[in-house]
Amino acid sequence: MSRVLIVGAGLTGSLCACLLRRALQNQVHIVVWDKARGAGGRMSTSRPPEPSSHSADLGAQYISATAAYHQSHHSFYAELLSAGVLRPLECPVEGLRPRDGGKDYMTPLGMSSVVKHFLSESGADLFLEHHVTALYRRGASWEVERQAGGSETFDAVVLTMPVPQILQLQGDLGKLLSVEQRQQLDVVSYSSRFALALFFPPDAELGVSWGARYVSDSSCIRYIAVDDRKRGAGAPGRGPTLVVHTSVPFGLQHLERDKEAVQPLILQELSRLLPQLPQPLSIKCHKWRYSQVQTAVPDCPGHMTILDQPPLVCGGDAFCHSNFDGCVESALSVLAALEAELRGHAPSGQ
């Protein structure tokens, strides 16, 4: 079997792993590395510090499909709905813009359940806290180094992390990029924001009627959600969880500050917007340096092939657009680029 490494256990990486398994069956041994302590990427779901509270989606909040994508990606939506991973978003979201023929979905078990579904379907070997630092071409294989030390050899590598992290990789990547490819990657830009989760006790009353709300009268806060209500229903005996996302300008303004210094500013503004909130049991703050793609690779090709043999391919929302369907499009594009190269490819011997 060919050994394929996918770097990044977010939506694109997990779906790439799943599609490769379904297309090539037992011809590939798929390995997924991620530098984080959990799978999900920007579709992460954080466990509460206390078991008496609900978990929190600190990244993506729900999935919105245009009518066209809902049709072209019908098989993916049908699979997730059938598995119980997705359900129609039925709670009120103040400020959500209606779209002709579009559909909105939520995840009863949190957004990371989408990624975990595709990882499970892929049968891939998942290794967390594996931070890739360098790639070296070794004949017909790639030697991939980790920050913690050591390296492994693979027949193909797929990079799905944010583009600035791709460009930081040491080794042979830099000299393999053409001038045009470097220019295309250099134009990619991301928005940045902070996310806050407030975990409350079971008897807490938040005093709001909505499940989520887009905020228009604040330079700091853009979005607030009662996460358990957004998902349809809370588990008995668990308290509510409030998720707060800052605006992009606020995130950019404070990007280089420690999140511990920014958290009080967000809480102060939240208190102004919702003065009736009770005291939470605990609070978690997360900085999304790479929140959403603002400028994608020109013409949105879905992927970028750095080398045909041994295959080195980049994918992710930066090569398409920054939502569920953009990641699906990218994963399909990566599959098309790799499938012919990997069929019957001689393994590296490991």
Side-chain angles (χ1 to χ4, degrees):
M1 292 188 292
S2 296
R3 298 188 79 231
V4 180
L5 173 65
I6 297 173
V7 184
L11 179 55
T12 304
S14 65
L15 191 49
C16 280
C18 180
L19 294 176
L20 280 171
R21 170 66 64 214
R22 290 174 179 176
L24 299 175
Q25 297 296 320
N26 295 324
Q27 297 181 54
V28 288
H29 176 198
I30 304 169
V31 179
V32 178
W33 287 1
D34 197 288
K35 69 176 185 177
R37 289 181 291 178
R42 282 167 282 170
M43 296 183 84
S44 68
T45 301
S46 295
R47 295 178 180 176
E50 300 82 10
S52 59
S53 299
H54 278 276
S55 60
D57 287 329
L58 283 177
Q61 292 294 296
Y62 51 86
I63 292 175
S64 293
T66 63
Y69 271 132
H70 199 265
Q71 182 176 359
S72 62
H73 294 162
H74 173 75
S75 63
F76 298 100
Y77 285 103
E79 175 181 342
L80 294 171
L81 286 164
S82 176
V85 176
L86 287 188
R87 289 182 188 169
L89 178 67
E90 295 177 343
C91 81
V93 180
E94 293 186 0
L96 179 62
R97 299 172 184 172
R99 300 172 318 282
D100 291 340
K103 295 185 181 295
D104 299 305
Y105 295 102
M106 59 84 180
T107 51
L109 299 178
M111 293 300 291
S112 67
S113 62
V114 176
V115 171
K116 291 175 181 177
H117 170 83
F118 289 125
L119 283 173
S120 176
E121 288 290 307
S122 75
D125 294 332
L126 173 64
F127 295 92
L128 301 171
E129 297 183 278
H130 275 48
H131 186 174
V132 173
T133 55
L135 297 167
Y136 296 95
R137 184 181 179 182
R138 304 298 190 213
S141 303
W142 288 102
E143 182 184 354
V144 186
E145 290 187 351
R146 300 189 302 271
Q147 187 177 65
S151 64
E152 291 188 38
T153 304
F154 299 90
D155 299 297
V157 176
V158 180
L159 304 174
T160 70
M161 62 275 224
V163 165
Q165 295 177 358
I166 293 175
L167 293 175
Q168 290 170 4
L169 292 174
Q170 302 298 306
D172 293 334
L173 176 64
K175 61 187 178 184
L176 289 171
L177 285 170
S178 69
V179 173
E180 182 183 7
Q181 287 175 329
R182 170 71 71 167
Q183 291 173 340
Q184 290 177 324
L185 294 178
D186 282 341
V187 304
V188 175
S189 65
Y190 294 80
S191 62
S192 302
R193 68 178 76 237
F194 291 83
L196 213 63
L198 287 76
F199 302 98
F200 293 92
D203 58 351
E205 294 290 341
L206 303 188
V208 297
S209 59
W210 35 260
R213 171 191 170 199
Y214 284 93
V215 179
S216 59
D217 59 345
S218 171
S219 61
C220 171
I221 294 174
R222 179 66 182 115
Y223 172 89
I224 309 172
V226 183
D227 218 12
D228 48 299
R229 192 180 296 171
K230 180 198 70 180
R231 299 185 203 174
R238 291 193 176 186
T241 296
L242 198 72
V243 170
V244 179
H245 282 189
T246 68
S247 67
V248 171
F250 180 90
L252 183 62
Q253 179 185 356
H254 298 282
L255 182 59
E256 301 307 328
R257 299 183 65 185
D258 290 338
K259 60 185 181 182
E260 291 77 14
V262 178
Q263 177 176 312
L265 302 178
I266 305 171
L267 289 174
Q268 182 179 5
E269 179 64 1
L270 181 64
S271 179
R272 182 186 75 83
L273 294 171
L274 301 176
Q276 78 283 1
L277 282 182
Q279 187 71 22
L281 292 171
S282 60
I283 301 171
K284 181 175 184 178
C285 185
H286 185 84
K287 181 197 297 187
W288 291 108
R289 182 174 291 272
Y290 307 113
S291 176
Q292 290 178 300
V293 177
Q294 288 188 316
T295 305
V297 171
D299 300 322
C300 296
H303 79 282
M304 179 180 287
T305 298
I306 308 301
L307 197 65
D308 290 318
Q309 284 296 340
L312 175 60
V313 181
C314 302
D317 54 357
F319 298 86
C320 199
H321 46 84
S322 200
N323 57 18
F324 175 85
D325 290 293
C327 292
V328 172
E329 286 288 288
S330 180
L332 290 168
S333 180
V334 170
L335 174 67
L338 282 180
E339 192 172 0
E341 300 291 346
L342 290 176
R343 287 192 184 277
H345 183 258
S348 64
Q350 293 205 12

